[in-house]
mmCIF file of all heavy atoms in Angstrom:
data_model
loop_
_atom_site.group_PDB
_atom_site.id
_atom_site.type_symbol
_atom_site.label_atom_id
_atom_site.label_comp_id
_atom_site.label_asym_id
_atom_site.label_seq_id
_atom_site.Cartn_x
_atom_site.Cartn_y
_atom_site.Cartn_z
ATOM 1 N N LYS A 18 20.399 -0.992 -5.187
ATOM 2 C CA LYS A 18 20.999 -2.289 -4.825
ATOM 3 C C LYS A 18 21.734 -2.136 -3.519
ATOM 4 O O LYS A 18 22.439 -1.148 -3.297
ATOM 5 C CB LYS A 18 22.004 -2.670 -5.924
ATOM 6 C CG LYS A 18 21.355 -2.949 -7.263
ATOM 7 C CD LYS A 18 22.387 -3.536 -8.238
ATOM 8 C CE LYS A 18 21.715 -3.705 -9.585
ATOM 9 N NZ LYS A 18 22.599 -4.283 -10.585
ATOM 10 N N GLU A 56 3.680 2.409 -19.370
ATOM 11 C CA GLU A 56 2.450 2.246 -20.199
ATOM 12 C C GLU A 56 1.550 1.167 -19.640
ATOM 13 O O GLU A 56 0.318 1.310 -19.547
ATOM 14 C CB GLU A 56 2.809 1.859 -21.687
ATOM 15 C CG GLU A 56 3.303 2.984 -22.526
ATOM 16 C CD GLU A 56 4.833 3.148 -22.433
ATOM 17 O OE1 GLU A 56 5.438 2.473 -21.570
ATOM 18 O OE2 GLU A 56 5.387 3.982 -23.167
ATOM 19 N N ILE A 65 -1.190 -0.539 -8.609
ATOM 20 C CA ILE A 65 -0.246 -1.577 -8.131
ATOM 21 C C ILE A 65 1.113 -0.946 -7.700
ATOM 22 O O ILE A 65 1.735 -0.329 -8.553
ATOM 23 C CB ILE A 65 -0.061 -2.681 -9.221
ATOM 24 C CG1 ILE A 65 -1.429 -3.433 -9.350
ATOM 25 C CG2 ILE A 65 1.070 -3.630 -8.792
ATOM 26 C CD1 ILE A 65 -1.398 -4.558 -10.336
ATOM 27 N N GLN A 116 19.709 9.718 -3.262
ATOM 28 C CA GLN A 116 20.550 10.000 -2.089
ATOM 29 C C GLN A 116 21.314 8.722 -1.706
ATOM 30 O O GLN A 116 20.646 7.624 -1.605
ATOM 31 C CB GLN A 116 19.625 10.384 -0.973
ATOM 32 C CG GLN A 116 20.302 11.034 0.191
ATOM 33 C CD GLN A 116 19.324 11.431 1.297
ATOM 34 O OE1 GLN A 116 18.615 10.634 1.813
ATOM 35 N NE2 GLN A 116 19.276 12.726 1.585
ATOM 36 N N ASP A 134 -7.545 20.388 -6.026
ATOM 37 C CA ASP A 134 -7.297 19.157 -6.719
ATOM 38 C C ASP A 134 -8.291 18.099 -6.312
ATOM 39 O O ASP A 134 -8.337 17.716 -5.119
ATOM 40 C CB ASP A 134 -5.818 18.697 -6.413
ATOM 41 C CG ASP A 134 -5.390 17.453 -7.137
ATOM 42 O OD1 ASP A 134 -6.089 17.057 -8.100
ATOM 43 O OD2 ASP A 134 -4.354 16.883 -6.777
ATOM 44 N N GLU A 154 15.879 -3.845 4.413
ATOM 45 C CA GLU A 154 14.611 -3.109 4.744
ATOM 46 C C GLU A 154 14.276 -2.192 3.608
ATOM 47 O O GLU A 154 15.180 -1.443 3.123
ATOM 48 C CB GLU A 154 14.792 -2.259 6.013
ATOM 49 C CG GLU A 154 14.974 -3.101 7.243
ATOM 50 C CD GLU A 154 15.690 -2.286 8.323
ATOM 51 O OE1 GLU A 154 16.571 -1.472 8.001
ATOM 52 O OE2 GLU A 154 15.364 -2.526 9.498
ATOM 53 N N ASN A 178 3.758 -11.146 -3.427
ATOM 54 C CA ASN A 178 3.544 -12.567 -3.742
ATOM 55 C C ASN A 178 4.925 -13.162 -3.636
ATOM 56 O O ASN A 178 5.773 -12.893 -4.497
ATOM 57 C CB ASN A 178 2.949 -12.723 -5.144
ATOM 58 C CG ASN A 178 2.679 -14.205 -5.457
ATOM 59 O OD1 ASN A 178 3.463 -15.062 -5.001
ATOM 60 N ND2 ASN A 178 1.643 -14.473 -6.213
ATOM 61 N N LYS A 216 -11.479 -12.154 17.671
ATOM 62 C CA LYS A 216 -11.500 -13.425 18.349
ATOM 63 C C LYS A 216 -12.687 -14.260 17.911
ATOM 64 O O LYS A 216 -13.839 -13.786 17.886
ATOM 65 C CB LYS A 216 -11.585 -13.157 19.879
ATOM 66 C CG LYS A 216 -10.729 -14.186 20.634
ATOM 67 C CD LYS A 216 -10.620 -13.856 22.094
ATOM 68 C CE LYS A 216 -9.498 -12.812 22.316
ATOM 69 N NZ LYS A 216 -9.730 -11.963 23.474
ATOM 70 N N ASP A 246 -10.573 -7.384 2.107
ATOM 71 C CA ASP A 246 -10.514 -6.028 1.641
ATOM 72 C C ASP A 246 -10.925 -5.140 2.798
ATOM 73 O O ASP A 246 -11.855 -4.359 2.714
ATOM 74 C CB ASP A 246 -11.440 -5.863 0.453
ATOM 75 C CG ASP A 246 -11.167 -4.571 -0.374
ATOM 76 O OD1 ASP A 246 -10.355 -3.772 0.097
ATOM 77 O OD2 ASP A 246 -11.775 -4.390 -1.452
ATOM 78 N N GLU A 253 0.697 -1.970 19.000
ATOM 79 C CA GLU A 253 2.010 -1.371 18.811
ATOM 80 C C GLU A 253 3.126 -2.422 18.812
ATOM 81 O O GLU A 253 4.295 -2.090 18.708
ATOM 82 C CB GLU A 253 2.224 -0.292 19.857
ATOM 83 C CG GLU A 253 1.472 0.949 19.495
ATOM 84 C CD GLU A 253 1.594 2.088 20.428
ATOM 85 O OE1 GLU A 253 2.431 1.999 21.389
ATOM 86 O OE2 GLU A 253 0.850 3.090 20.286
ATOM 87 N N ASN A 284 -8.656 -9.546 -5.065
ATOM 88 C CA ASN A 284 -9.872 -10.371 -5.374
ATOM 89 C C ASN A 284 -10.379 -10.002 -6.768
ATOM 90 O O ASN A 284 -11.483 -9.479 -6.890
ATOM 91 C CB ASN A 284 -10.974 -10.097 -4.334
ATOM 92 C CG ASN A 284 -10.400 -10.106 -2.917
ATOM 93 O OD1 ASN A 284 -9.587 -10.967 -2.596
ATOM 94 N ND2 ASN A 284 -10.873 -9.179 -2.056
ATOM 95 N N ALA A 291 -2.705 -9.304 -17.457
ATOM 96 C CA ALA A 291 -1.463 -9.995 -17.880
ATOM 97 C C ALA A 291 -0.313 -9.287 -17.206
ATOM 98 O O ALA A 291 -0.326 -8.027 -17.073
ATOM 99 C CB ALA A 291 -1.311 -9.867 -19.402
#
Side-chain angles (χ1 to χ4, degrees):
K18 297 188 183 181
E56 284 87 354
I65 295 180
Q116 195 179 61
D134 182 13
E154 292 156 326
N178 181 326
K216 218 172 278 151
D246 197 351
E253 283 179 7
N284 314 319

